[in-house]
Amino acid sequence: MTAFHYATTLEETCALLDDGEDTMVYGGGTAVQILLKQGVLFATDLVDIGGVAGLDQIEETAKGLRVGPLVTLRRMETSPVVQRVAPLAAEVYGRVANPRVRNTASVAGNIAHGDYRLDPPTALMVLDATVEITSRRGSRKVPAREFFVDFQQTALEHGELVTGIEIPKQPESAGAHFAKLSSLAANDWPAASAAALVVEGSRGKREVRLGLGALSHVPVFLQFETTADTPVDAVVEAAKDAASPLLEPIPDVRGSSDYKRRLGLVAVEEAVRNSWKEGSDDDRRTSFFGRRRRR
Ligand SMILES: Cc1cc2nc3c(=O)[nH]c(=O)nc-3n(C[C@H](O)[C@H](O)[C@H](O)COP(=O)(O)OP(=O)(O)OC[C@H]3O[C@@H](n4cnc5c(N)ncnc54)[C@H](O)[C@@H]3O)c2cc1C
């Protein structure tokens, strides 16, 4: 029988997690409840952190956003601040499951769940987000790109919990797109997903960043550099070539490994094609003023 604890402070939470042998945090409970009912959750104790004040704030900082662990996925989707500062994150959180799950699930529970098919890590990785982790020993920060260590295994160690996610401001000039392909139902887990962010660099350079979900045993991140004058078809081919060796999908009811690999390349193409803006910022400014002058 799993024992429930209702913590009211972070210190109490850390102590319970540290002292317990197999103690887990209870966030929104959308994953934990299912595992409990299926009889496959082996935690001896669960610490509900819903009563700890201050864990559900979205703050705009000088660098971007700081998101508290108990902020729901639905708030990430609908918050005007998130939509303005990190629109790709708002879009991706809004594509998780259905409103019932998004209204309850928390951002920390989502990443701590560690599932290789999760949608939000694709955006968090391309936006270069950082996960704040706290325990009795203090706090440390882990890049989202290094948080997913192995199959259903995260960087969290004994006694630790996620206490925040920092998301840098999405550059206004960046192109972004999230492609989620499901094979069972529209709001089901993805069979393949890809978030792309194309960041303008100096002297016509561009960085293409890709976060992939459901295409390996962990969320996958990759990036490569190209130039703004590269035709979009060539960029798409370069992205598929870079992603291809990293695709090792796990076969399940949503498709065979081979099917998901092919679907993964479709997701990569959709994400990159829709985030690529033809020409550099300078070119676009010139053509815009050119059009105005002709009127
Ligand atoms: C029907 C259904 C469909 C879904 N479809 C999708 C989908 O399409 N895409 C997708 O991305 N996800 C999907 N999910 C998964 C969903 O996103 C997760 O269940 C949810 O985000 C978990 O958040 P939670 O707050 O409810 O976590 P909980 O269920 O409370 O916890 C999940 C795990 O995280 C740990 N945890 C919770 N909070 C913390 C913390 N602060 N620090 C450390 N560990 C913590 C818990 O101990 C547990 O191991 C789906 C879930 C359901 C039920």
Side-chain angles (χ1 to χ4, degrees), residues 78-97:
T78 56
S79 156
V81 177
V82 180
Q83 288 172 353
R84 175 169 50 79
V85 178
L88 178 65
E91 159 73 14
V92 173
Y93 277 106
R95 300 283 296 279
V96 173

Side-chain angles (χ1 to χ4, degrees), residues 163 184 278:
T163 45
L184 292 183
E278 292 288 358

Side-chain angles (χ1 to χ4, degrees), residues 57-97:
Q57 308 293 315
I58 298 174
E59 292 165 51
E60 187 169 359
T61 64
K63 290 184 181 161
L65 296 171
R66 187 182 187 285
V67 182
L70 284 181
V71 170
T72 63
L73 310 191
R74 179 75 175 147
R75 273 183 68 208
M76 291 300 285
E77 171 191 1
T78 56
S79 156
V81 177
V82 180
Q83 288 172 353
R84 175 169 50 79
V85 178
L88 178 65
E91 159 73 14
V92 173
Y93 277 106
R95 300 283 296 279
V96 173

